[in-house]
Amino acid sequence: MNISKKSHYYFILHATVFVWGFTGILGKLINMPSQYIVIDRMLIAFLSLAIYGIFSKQNELISNTSKVQMLFVGLITAAHWATFFEALKVSNVSVTLCCLASCSFFVAVIEPIFLKTKIKLYELILSIFVITGISIIFAFENEFSLGIILSIISALLAAIFSVWNAILIKENSSHSIALYNMLGGVLTMTFYLIVTGQFSLSLMIPKGFDWIYIFILGVICTAIAFLLGIEVLKKLSPFTVSITTNLEPIYGVILALFIFGETEIMSFEFYLGAMIILMTILVNSYLKSKE
């Protein structure tokens, strides 16, 4: 591949990661309950992916077992985003994104269970560093305790659906998995709100600038970003993609500082804990590339 062509894919990759970093900003800007942000986001993403499937003539045969699993993974995805957006509401973008970075190490623990592989010693050692980083943040930013807890739960849920989708991708296309994930999330979140007596069409319909934010979140940050994230894997190595994706919290925190100003300025200990988490993730990515 010539250099200019490869540079094109590097640009697409960084643009995609930058867009993912913007998700936290949008979640903070949208003046809607977390559950309704999730429903609207997943509904818009589902419709976008469905339209894309029609125009690209996607016609894949999927087993009923796979469909049920994809829909259930959609439930987990919805729970992940619900806790993520609620964490943004009760804390801030910096805390939420840095704690969410612990997802990589939940994957390290969960993956051997799902795939029946051995737990790697270095992953457990690096996990201790992640726990140390989160502990430092928790100790010195205790006014955001609930946000930290919700972020960690969100990271755990993200790890579960990531590993599960990694199994499903062996026999199904990325488009089909994303499509059914989004549908499963919409159905289960709607069912939950109806059963608990919280469902309201007036709350589900965005108002004012929320229309713009929700549209960007559903189409650009979810549907398009997902498809682009898969597209770059055609030309760039998985290691390059994974190590670049670890820049998402950094992009998000920098964006938050510019947009929200002083509310995102944290203590020295917070940045120390965040640096430990991010450096550990980078070390993990490096060691993975050596295997």
Side-chain angles (χ1 to χ4, degrees), residues 56-71:
S56 61
K57 298 181 180 179
Q58 299 278 342
N59 189 22
E60 180 184 359
L61 291 176
I62 307 170
S63 69
N64 290 330
T65 301
S66 291
K67 287 180 182 178
V68 171
Q69 289 187 65
M70 291 175 194
L71 291 170

Side-chain angles (χ1 to χ4, degrees), residues 26 48 138 140 215 238 247-248 290:
L26 291 170
S48 301
F138 199 94
F140 289 93
F215 182 81
L247 293 171
E248 179 188 345
K290 292 295 183 181

Side-chain angles (χ1 to χ4, degrees), residues 34-268:
S34 303
Q35 303 95 316
Y36 290 96
I37 296 177
V38 174
I39 290 178
D40 286 355
R41 175 186 190 174
M42 299 187 87
L43 179 59
I44 292 172
F46 169 74
L47 293 174
S48 301
L49 289 165
I51 292 170
Y52 171 81
I54 292 171
F55 281 98
S56 61
K57 298 181 180 179
Q58 299 278 342
N59 189 22
E60 180 184 359
L61 291 176
I62 307 170
S63 69
N64 290 330
T65 301
S66 291
K67 287 180 182 178
V68 171
Q69 289 187 65
M70 291 175 194
L71 291 170
F72 187 77
V73 172
L75 182 156
I76 298 171
T77 306
H80 154 67
W81 278 333
T83 49
F84 171 73
F85 288 123
E86 189 62 26
L88 289 170
K89 300 289 185 185
V90 300
S91 59
N92 63 19
V93 178
S94 299
V95 168
T96 302
L97 289 179
C98 286
C99 292
L100 195 65
S102 61
C103 173
S104 298
F105 295 94
F106 283 123
V107 170
V109 175
I110 293 170
E111 191 173 21
I113 298 173
F114 274 75
L115 303 180
K116 295 180 173 58
T117 57
K118 291 183 179 179
I119 296 177
K120 299 179 178 65
L121 178 61
Y122 76 83
E123 290 180 337
L124 292 178
I125 294 173
L126 290 177
S127 296
I128 294 173
F129 283 96
V130 172
I131 293 169
T132 301
I134 292 174
S135 299
I136 292 172
I137 293 174
F138 199 94
F140 289 93
E141 302 295 342
N142 48 36
E143 71 270 30
F144 297 130
S145 296
L146 180 57
I148 293 170
I149 293 170
L150 288 170
S151 299
I152 294 172
I153 293 172
S154 182
L156 173 60
L157 292 169
I160 294 172
F161 78 70
S162 296
V163 174
W164 205 328
N165 276 342
I167 296 171
L168 290 170
I169 196 68
K170 294 177 181 179
E171 297 180 356
N172 305 278
S173 71
S174 300
H175 177 267
S176 295
I177 292 172
L179 187 71
Y180 279 94
N181 283 176
M182 296 303 109
L183 177 60
V186 172
L187 293 176
T188 52
M189 187 61 76
T190 303
F191 178 75
Y192 165 77
L193 291 174
I194 291 173
V195 169
T196 57
Q198 300 178 58
F199 185 78
S200 170
L201 279 176
S202 63
L203 289 176
M204 188 174 175
I205 299 173
K207 298 174 180 63
F209 283 106
D210 283 350
W211 273 110
I212 300 172
Y213 300 146
I214 285 288
F215 182 81
I216 294 172
L217 186 63
V219 177
I220 300 177
C221 296
T222 307
I224 294 177
F226 177 84
L227 293 175
L228 288 177
I230 298 299
E231 179 68 20
V232 296
L233 286 170
K234 293 180 179 179
K235 301 297 181 182
L236 303 179
S237 70
F239 171 69
T240 299
V241 174
S242 67
I243 201 168
T244 307
T245 301
N246 289 326
L247 293 171
E248 179 188 345
I250 298 175
Y251 286 154
V253 169
I254 293 172
L255 283 168
L257 285 170
F258 274 106
I259 295 172
F260 299 114
E262 292 183 0
T263 60
E264 293 292 330
I265 297 176
M266 312 298 291
S267 65
F268 167 77

